[in-house]
Amino acid sequence: MGALKGRIAVVTGASRGAGRGIAYELGQAGAIVYVTGRSTQESSTDDRPETIEQTAAGVTARGGFGIAIRCNHTDPDDITCLFQQIQDRHGRIDLLVNSVFGGSEASLPAGQGKHFWERPPEHWDAMMVAGPKAYLLTTRAAVPLLQQSPTALIVNLTSFTPNQAAGNLYYDLAMQSINRMTFVMGQELRTSRVASIALCPGFMRTERVVDAGFSSDATETTAYVGRAVVALTQDPDILQRTGQALFVSDLARDYGFTDEDGTQPASFVL
């Protein structure tokens, strides 16, 4: 029997990347996983082949139960529809993983360089809207269902490098917004016994990274962050960590899990 059998999880942005890796590991642990995103069999995004239906099937194949629901997490109506379906079927959510991000869309204009004054305003809009704003809209709608769970957890995928910029200025601001939002959520939800964690993976071997030719530079697979989420979900003292930004590498040592190759990759430094 899976360690998370019967748990109800929602993983946003799960058609590919970290979201897919997390959904697969939750499936391996036996969870019921709502796989959400915009990439479907009928309508792909960014000319990518991955879809939420593929991810949901992978969750089921690993021993869980995957349910694919199309949702644009920047659209309040889509979000309301998603959680109404979960309300009708289950009446609660045990785990919400926010993993959407618009900053890597191929449709974004390239700009003239890496500095903030060389980047077009579309980069700001993409990263802050399909990022912190999407996290906030989704979590806000999920709270009533999270409050029905005795062991509720929110995991916000992010990046955090103390005393160092996380990539470019726009990306850094988006990630820091998520980290601060997680901290305040942790404070406000503590009395409801809903924990809020910002989770920082390393340089992951995602589909985009592989296709861009950077596979050998990546430090870890997306299974590594997925196993971190599974471990956090099983922690009976998770409220002790609420509001914190945590590195996957540190959690691997704390909880004793590894990446797919049996190693524990260290924290990634830009």
Side-chain angles (χ1 to χ4, degrees):
M1 181 180 295
L4 300 181
K5 187 174 178 60
R7 300 283 186 97
I8 311 300
V10 178
V11 183
T12 76
S15 57
R16 63 183 70 92
R20 174 173 280 194
I22 292 167
Y24 281 173
E25 291 302 316
L26 291 170
Q28 189 75 36
I32 298 169
V33 185
Y34 281 84
V35 176
T36 73
R38 295 174 297 142
S39 297
T40 68
Q41 293 173 348
E42 291 75 29
S43 177
S44 65
T45 59
D46 216 23
D47 294 323
R48 297 291 314 179
E50 306 88 12
T51 68
I52 55 174
E53 291 90 352
Q54 290 174 351
T55 302
V59 169
T60 301
R62 286 163 171 77
F65 185 59
I67 303 169
I69 297 182
R70 186 198 176 281
C71 182
N72 179 345
H73 285 274
T74 67
D75 184 334
D77 291 338
D78 271 15
I79 295 169
T80 297
C81 182
L82 166 67
F83 290 117
Q84 186 60 57
Q85 292 181 68
I86 300 174
Q87 168 70 54
D88 294 343
R89 293 179 184 177
H90 302 286
R92 76 176 199 281
I93 296 171
D94 301 304
L95 170 68
L96 170 64
V97 180
N98 286 308
S99 186
V100 298
F101 184 62
S104 55
E105 300 285 339
S107 58
L108 289 174
Q112 303 301 315
K114 295 182 178 181
H115 300 109
F116 70 87
W117 62 88
E118 298 169 324
R119 290 179 173 270
E122 288 89 345
H123 287 207
W124 166 273
D125 296 337
M127 293 184 191
M128 297 299 289
V129 175
K133 184 177 180 180
Y135 282 27
L136 179 59
L137 290 175
T138 302
T139 305
R140 181 177 181 275
V143 164
L145 291 174
L146 289 162
Q147 289 174 325
Q148 301 307 308
S149 170
T151 57
L153 171 63
I154 300 162
V155 175
N156 293 322
L157 265 287
T158 185
S159 177
F160 177 60
T161 51
N163 304 315
Q164 186 178 8
N168 62 76
L169 176 61
Y170 295 168
Y171 181 79
D172 185 86
L173 288 173
M175 296 301 105
Q176 294 290 11
S177 295
I178 290 169
N179 296 335
R180 188 64 184 177
M181 179 170 59
T182 301
F183 172 75
V184 179
M185 284 179 175
Q187 288 192 323
E188 295 190 5
L189 287 167
R190 181 182 283 275
T191 56
S192 296
R193 299 195 61 79
V194 177
S196 175
I197 299 295
L199 185 58
C200 312
F203 187 7
M204 294 176 289
R205 206 167 293 114
T206 66
E207 296 88 352
R208 288 183 188 273
V209 167
V210 171
D211 290 349
F214 297 119
S215 179
S216 60
D217 298 324
T219 59
E220 60 207 57
T221 74
T222 57
Y224 200 37
V225 67
R227 292 172 183 181
V229 172
V230 170
L232 287 167
T233 305
Q234 294 181 78
D235 188 341
D237 297 317
I238 191 61
L239 279 171
Q240 300 301 314
R241 294 183 182 267
T242 194
Q244 299 178 24
L246 304 173
F247 290 96
V248 169
S249 57
D250 292 338
L251 294 176
R253 291 190 293 272
D254 290 349
Y255 293 119
F257 63 84
T258 67
D259 203 346
E260 288 182 327
D261 63 359
T263 66
Q264 293 179 320
S267 299
F268 178 74
V269 178
L270 294 170

